[in-house]
Amino acid sequence: MSIDGVGRCPQMMGDPSDSIAFRASREAAKALLGDAHALRWLMHCVEARLRADGDTDVATHIHLDIAEAIVEAHAEELLEPSLSEHRLAQLRSHPRCLVVVAALHYVTMPHCPSMAGPASDLAILRWATDVARCELPVS
């Protein structure tokens, strides 16, 4: 399955980006992309969850920092006083940012016990930041 034109998550068997949970996160991300305060709250929740685990590796922390930078830049632009309606519409539908926000939302959601849990959370986060850094295609 393609996520709004974005490639699959290649690190995963049973690709979590195909899951009902990720589809729900993608829908939530569509609503969040236009709300700077909600995006910052989401980032706070993700940081609390992943950094509290303490067992994440350095590479995961790097991907979390990349996601945080993407979300913060997006939120800052949303708060620009001179933001035009046209630019706001673009920000609300930016496909790479949508994938990152969906991945962050996915990390905060409780998952079915049959899912890989934290392993799939980390794979989704890494995949999303790779998409955002243009290392995976957007068709």
Side-chain angles (χ1 to χ4, degrees):
M1 177 176 147
S2 177
I3 299 176
D4 287 351
V6 177
R8 295 176 61 90
C9 179
Q11 305 95 315
M12 298 297 298
M13 298 279 297
D15 185 357
S17 67
D18 280 342
S19 71
I20 292 170
F22 192 81
R23 282 180 274 177
S25 290
R26 185 181 60 191
E27 290 304 313
K30 288 177 183 176
L32 291 170
L33 279 181
D35 186 339
H37 301 293
L39 288 170
R40 288 178 171 155
W41 177 250
L42 175 65
M43 196 67 234
H44 169 76
C45 294
V46 170
E47 286 178 344
R49 176 153 186 282
L50 289 181
R51 296 196 196 277
D53 286 346
D55 61 349
T56 55
D57 60 12
V58 172
T60 299
H61 285 286
I62 290 169
H63 284 274
L64 183 56
D65 289 342
I66 292 167
E68 180 178 23
I70 291 166
V71 168
E72 185 57 32
H74 190 85
E76 284 295 317
E77 193 165 359
L78 286 170
L79 295 173
E80 283 291 320
S82 61
L83 184 66
S84 70
E85 287 298 318
H86 176 71
R87 182 63 184 141
L88 178 59
Q90 289 176 325
L91 289 170
R92 287 182 174 158
S93 62
H94 192 278
R96 292 185 192 282
C97 194
L98 177 69
V99 170
V100 171
V101 173
L104 293 170
H105 185 271
Y106 179 88
V107 166
T108 65
M109 289 181 55
H111 302 294
C112 171
S114 65
M115 292 283 298
S120 72
D121 292 350
L122 300 179
I124 280 283
L125 179 61
R126 289 177 177 189
W127 166 75
T129 56
D130 286 345
V131 167
R133 293 181 310 154
C134 302
E135 291 185 7
L136 293 175
V138 174
S139 53

